[in-house]
Amino acid sequence: MLRVHMADGTQPSNTAENTDPRILRSRQMLMESLAKLLTRKAFDDISIQEIADEASLNRATFYLHYPDKNALLQAMTGARFRDLIARRGLAFTNCDAALRAIALGVCDYLAETTSCPGQLAKTPIEGSIIPVVESMFQEGAAHHATTPGGDPKLLATTAAWAIFGAARRWYQTPDRIPAEEMAAKIEAMVKPIFLTASI
């Protein structure tokens, strides 16, 4: 089983870039701009120029921080996901708590960032949340031995897609059960994936 840490890999590893207030402010402005634009149009219809204009920044500034709008979407997703987990005060004290926290975080993310189930088709949510969850599992895998021939990256991908798929099905279900209940169900389904891969 994996102990999961809160690294998401969406930001550069350079410490100065992660602490310089001007850089952090520009990134925050770009994320907020994308979030506003997503309330008005589909992700594929949003241009980098529109994102920069909405943030009152120039296009060159955008490219100083992100190679493309997909990278910005992933960074925005990672920031929102970490914020949701922090607001819930979810603990990563052990493997089971971490797995449930991630499942609950994904449920919360879907519920808070999509105003209707149809929006899931318009925004590449899986392309932004799954890499965040995968990187959390990969970080945790670094602290555990896997079975001979095991592939920690494949394990992380499998678990991330399983959690996202179950959470999306939960979100699209009318009269759905509370997120906490669903997170417990997801944990029960996904936990065996880790148990069979761990020594």
Side-chain angles (χ1 to χ4, degrees):
M1 192 60 179
L2 300 176
R3 177 175 60 239
V4 180
H5 297 272
M6 288 301 294
D8 75 332
T10 58
Q11 295 298 327
S13 59
N14 184 323
T15 305
E17 286 189 6
N18 288 329
T19 57
D20 184 311
R22 293 167 299 174
I23 291 172
L24 295 175
R25 186 175 65 246
S26 293
R27 288 182 181 157
Q28 186 61 38
M29 290 168 67
L30 290 166
M31 287 183 212
E32 288 172 3
S33 295
L34 178 58
K36 284 180 191 172
L37 288 166
L38 284 171
T39 65
R40 300 194 298 261
K41 48 198 316 191
F43 179 75
D44 288 341
D45 297 332
I46 297 170
S47 71
I48 288 172
Q49 187 63 57
E50 287 176 292
I51 296 167
D53 289 347
E54 183 75 32
S56 299
L57 298 170
N58 63 44
R59 192 177 163 96
T61 302
F62 178 96
Y63 286 113
L64 283 174
H65 300 286
Y66 302 103
D68 55 38
K69 66 181 184 176
N70 291 309
L72 172 59
L73 178 65
Q74 188 173 337
M76 183 183 81
T77 300
R80 286 184 168 192
F81 190 70
R82 288 189 306 274
D83 181 57
L84 282 170
I85 288 177
R87 276 191 281 147
R88 274 204 179 254
L90 299 174
F92 285 74
T93 53
N94 60 51
C95 297
D96 292 342
L99 184 54
R100 189 173 299 201
I102 290 170
L104 187 52
V106 174
C107 290
D108 282 349
Y109 183 81
L110 291 177
E112 287 197 13
T113 58
T114 54
S115 56
C116 64
Q119 190 174 346
L120 285 173
K122 292 190 285 181
T123 304
I125 290 178
E126 67 273 4
S128 60
I129 191 69
I130 287 175
V132 172
V133 175
E134 280 177 330
S135 65
M136 294 172 81
F137 285 136
Q138 286 177 20
E139 175 83 15
H143 301 280
H144 295 273
T146 57
T147 55
D151 183 344
K153 288 183 180 180
L154 180 59
L155 176 63
T157 299
T158 302
W161 275 99
I163 289 171
F164 177 79
R168 180 169 56 183
R169 174 62 61 93
W170 164 81
Y171 180 68
Q172 293 173 328
T173 302
D175 302 321
R176 58 185 177 260
I177 61 175
E180 292 81 3
E181 261 183 72
M182 188 60 196
K185 286 177 179 280
I186 292 172
E187 178 194 354
M189 289 185 291
V190 174
K191 186 176 179 179
I193 295 171
F194 291 108
L195 292 176
T196 57
S198 299
I199 292 177

